[in-house]
Amino acid sequence: MRASRHQGMTLIELVLTLVVVAVLSVGLGHYLRYGIDGYSLTKDRTEYQGQGRFVIERLSRELRHAVPNSLEITHHGQCLSYTPIAFSGRYFSSSSSSSVPDENLTAMNSIKTLTLLLAQKVELNSTSSVKYRVTIQPMTAADLLPNVLESEDRVYSAPVITVRQSDQWLTVEFPNEVRFFAGSSGQRIYGYQQKVTWCFEKDQLIRSQEVGWQTKSLQHVVMADRIVPLSGKFVGQGAAFNPYGVINVVFDIGTEEESSLYRHDIQVLNGA
């Protein structure tokens, strides 16, 4: 009877096996690494492109609800400021000697109160201190600031000390009698608070809003944090500060590996 023979691997076979396993391991490692890198790149791309779309949508919406002629581009195109509308509507007159509304009013006389029909219903808090200002046909952003006087003590804007609201009707009271510089052909009046500024700073786009009239403070919010440095800019095209002008916003957003260029035109509705 023949004894069974158990034959092991030779040295050459063992070396070849180890080489094959090593090659397969390296290939699998590269495959897994490329998969992980691809996932990470896709995740980053989704994140910064989402930031870019959010910035465009938010800025477009806010500029379409800005007080006419309140836009300013400063710091060599790095900053854009505007004054958001708190309420707007068609005004009527309530003079100091008569409280009868005058729908045919075309030139504002000295008044202490003013009644308006809101363009859309908003909830406003009554206040005993200066919280809002109102303006009729401002020509520049400076016209919205306090203590801006024209000839014969006429003003483009005035502070409001009390607000009384009934459904879509609103009555505002001024601390003293005021006379506006001009009436609006559409009898439009705008109520507002403090201005908002968007600025490109290094790799961020920051939105700042002023709070308070007497003691001002700033509230800062980072809207995007992957801006390619020196790529962001605001440009007023043609009649950007006239009715139906255009503001162009440009920025590059992304990572060191790749980025996306955003170039968007925003129509400015500066009708009186």
Side-chain angles (χ1 to χ4, degrees):
M1 187 173 178
R2 298 176 59 184
S4 61
R5 300 174 60 188
H6 296 281
Q7 203 171 25
M9 296 179 64
T10 66
L11 180 61
I12 295 177
E13 291 174 333
L14 180 61
V15 170
L16 290 176
T17 301
L18 293 176
V19 169
V20 171
V21 171
V23 171
L24 292 176
S25 299
V26 170
L28 182 61
H30 281 297
Y31 177 78
L32 293 176
R33 189 190 59 160
Y34 290 146
I36 294 173
D37 289 346
Y39 170 78
S40 179
L41 186 62
T42 301
K43 182 181 178 181
D44 287 341
R45 184 187 300 123
T46 301
E47 182 177 341
Y48 70 71
Q49 288 183 348
Q51 285 189 6
R53 289 192 297 270
F54 170 75
V55 166
I56 294 299
E57 293 171 2
R58 176 71 178 268
L59 188 57
S60 299
R61 183 171 66 250
E62 291 191 5
L63 291 186
R64 293 191 182 105
H65 292 85
V67 175
N69 297 317
S70 68
L71 276 72
E72 286 184 301
I73 295 177
T74 58
H75 296 81
H76 305 288
Q78 297 297 294
C79 295
L80 171 68
S81 62
Y82 69 94
T83 302
I85 296 172
F87 58 87
S88 66
R90 183 185 177 200
Y91 63 77
F92 296 78
S93 171
S94 295
S95 65
S96 57
S97 60
S98 173
S99 59
V100 179
D102 181 6
E103 294 188 27
N104 298 316
L105 185 67
T106 56
M108 301 299 297
N109 297 316
S110 295
I111 55 173
K112 188 70 165 56
T113 61
L114 199 61
T115 301
L116 59 140
L117 178 62
L118 295 172
Q120 62 182 33
K121 188 175 180 180
V122 294
E123 295 297 331
L124 301 173
N125 295 323
S126 299
T127 176
S128 57
S129 60
V130 176
K131 185 175 181 180
Y132 301 102
R133 293 181 66 85
V134 294
T135 183
I136 297 176
Q137 200 160 333
M139 303 305 294
T140 67
D143 295 335
L144 304 179
L145 300 176
N147 305 320
V148 177
L149 300 178
E150 288 293 331
S151 59
E152 301 179 2
D153 293 335
R154 295 190 180 191
V155 298
Y156 281 108
S157 65
V160 173
I161 57 172
T162 59
V163 174
R164 297 187 299 274
Q165 185 175 2
S166 176
D167 197 23
Q168 285 192 251
W169 288 94
L170 190 70
T171 300
V172 297
E173 182 180 353
F174 307 110
N176 301 296
E177 287 194 351
V178 297
R179 182 163 58 158
F180 285 92
F181 181 72
S184 164
S185 58
Q187 294 181 249
R188 301 290 297 178
I189 186 170
Y190 299 91
Y192 61 95
Q193 293 179 300
Q194 291 285 12
K195 72 177 182 180
V196 171
T197 302
W198 291 63
C199 281
F200 291 103
E201 298 184 10
K202 296 182 179 179
D203 62 345
Q204 295 181 332
L205 177 58
I206 299 176
R207 181 185 186 274
S208 304
Q209 183 165 18
E210 296 179 355
V211 180
W213 290 105
Q214 303 301 326
T215 304
K216 292 184 180 180
S217 61
L218 285 176
Q219 294 179 343
H220 302 286
V221 178
V222 176
M223 308 304 289
D225 59 5
R226 294 194 175 188
I227 303 294
V228 176
L230 303 179
S231 69
K233 193 171 185 179
F234 299 104
V235 180
Q237 294 185 354
F241 303 106
N242 294 327
Y244 310 109
V246 172
I247 292 292
N248 179 253
V249 55
V250 181
F251 60 90
D252 207 5
I253 186 170
T255 64
E256 294 181 355
E257 289 77 17
E258 67 172 27
S259 62
S260 296
L261 177 64
Y262 284 81
R263 188 185 301 271
H264 187 72
D265 293 333
I266 302 174
Q267 189 176 35
V268 181
L269 304 179
N270 273 341

